[in-house]
Amino acid sequence: MTAGLDTPDRRGRTHLDRAGRDLTGNPGVKVRDVSLLSCHWYVLRTTTFDYRHRDGSWSTEQRETYDRGNGATVLLYDTERGTVLLTRQFRYPAYVNGHPDGMLLETAAGLLDQDDPETAIRREAAEETGHTVGAVQHVFDVYMSPGSVTERLHFYAAPYSAGTRTGTGGGVVEEGEDIEVLELAFTDALDLVRTGAIADAKTIMLLQWAALDGPFGK
């Protein structure tokens, strides 16, 4: 769908062409124009701005940005048994860009939508893995692909056990999700990072954090 000026996206947001026009944090960037290209699923914009280089000269630049909203992800771990819970699902963008089958091993994750990050990740953990977690630890917040995607991802970790399981997981069928839940030994998960079998950035980051500063690094 080609977006008109006030065409709402799937979350009902309007005035999508206004994003970035009021930015004042960097005096070396002056936004000239924002053009809405599409809001079929998420929001694609072209922004024209003046940029001041380190030598003081100015140039007019143009960038496309893809706005899918912010998200959250969580590593579920069991230190007593030395295991982690991951998911596996089909990712077409990875498949079309060289992944053998598009089936990626990942930590549970999802968009915030209208929720705060902690609420969102509790929701996603329950929907995807079937576990209702208790205390969660905030790890860090990361821009995953800052050259083109606006998303900021909030990283969490939380313990799980047989007692936290309240459902079957698998995702929300009505949203087209078809998610397999896998329990792996933490050491095996690290080996899969080394071999490239785990190729998802957020998952690698949380597993390495868990080994260095997290529950398996103490």
Side-chain angles (χ1 to χ4, degrees):
M1 178 179 68
T2 300
L5 202 61
D6 281 326
T7 302
D9 68 357
R10 69 189 185 98
R11 286 171 285 177
R13 297 182 302 176
T14 56
H15 301 291
L16 301 174
D17 63 313
R18 306 307 301 174
R21 292 180 182 268
D22 58 351
L23 291 174
T24 59
N26 187 339
V29 177
K30 298 179 180 179
V31 175
R32 286 178 171 265
D33 187 49
V34 180
S35 177
L36 186 63
L37 300 179
S38 174
C39 61
H40 177 67
W41 189 248
Y42 301 119
V43 182
L44 180 64
R45 302 178 177 91
T46 292
T47 300
T48 304
F49 58 93
D50 293 335
Y51 178 75
R52 184 173 61 198
H53 297 266
R54 288 180 297 166
D55 63 4
S57 65
W58 288 83
S59 64
T60 299
E61 308 287 340
Q62 198 170 63
R63 297 289 187 276
E64 286 187 0
T65 56
Y66 190 56
D67 176 7
R68 63 190 302 273
N70 295 326
T73 185
V74 63
L75 176 67
L76 300 182
Y77 62 87
D78 183 339
T79 51
E80 289 188 8
R81 298 171 56 241
T83 58
V84 293
L85 271 190
L86 300 180
T87 66
R88 180 158 51 202
Q89 59 183 306
F90 178 67
R91 298 296 198 182
Y92 179 76
Y95 185 45
V96 79
N97 194 30
H99 192 277
D101 59 9
M103 303 298 294
L104 263 62
L105 282 167
E106 306 179 34
T107 49
L111 295 178
L112 303 187
D113 292 326
Q114 305 303 317
D115 291 327
D116 62 88
E118 184 173 322
T119 299
I121 203 52
R122 291 179 182 279
R123 178 193 71 225
E124 293 298 328
E127 290 178 355
E128 294 192 3
T129 72
H131 285 262
T132 300
V133 296
V136 298
Q137 178 183 355
H138 177 251
V139 179
F140 38 61
D141 303 323
V142 175
Y143 292 96
M144 296 297 290
S145 186
S148 58
V149 181
T150 62
E151 180 185 26
R152 182 172 58 198
L153 194 60
H154 304 272
F155 286 68
Y156 290 88
Y160 78 96
S161 66
T164 61
R165 180 157 190 165
T166 55
T168 58
V172 180
V173 175
E174 293 77 13
E175 296 180 2
E177 293 182 332
D178 181 20
I179 299 172
E180 179 184 4
V181 183
L182 297 94
E183 184 176 62
L184 300 174
F186 178 67
T187 54
D188 290 344
L190 287 181
D191 285 341
L192 293 177
V193 172
R194 295 185 182 99
T195 64
I198 291 180
D200 174 67
K202 65 181 180 294
T203 306
I204 294 171
M205 293 165 71
L206 277 172
L207 289 172
Q208 291 183 339
W209 165 82
L212 295 171
D213 299 320
F216 296 102
K218 299 176 181 178

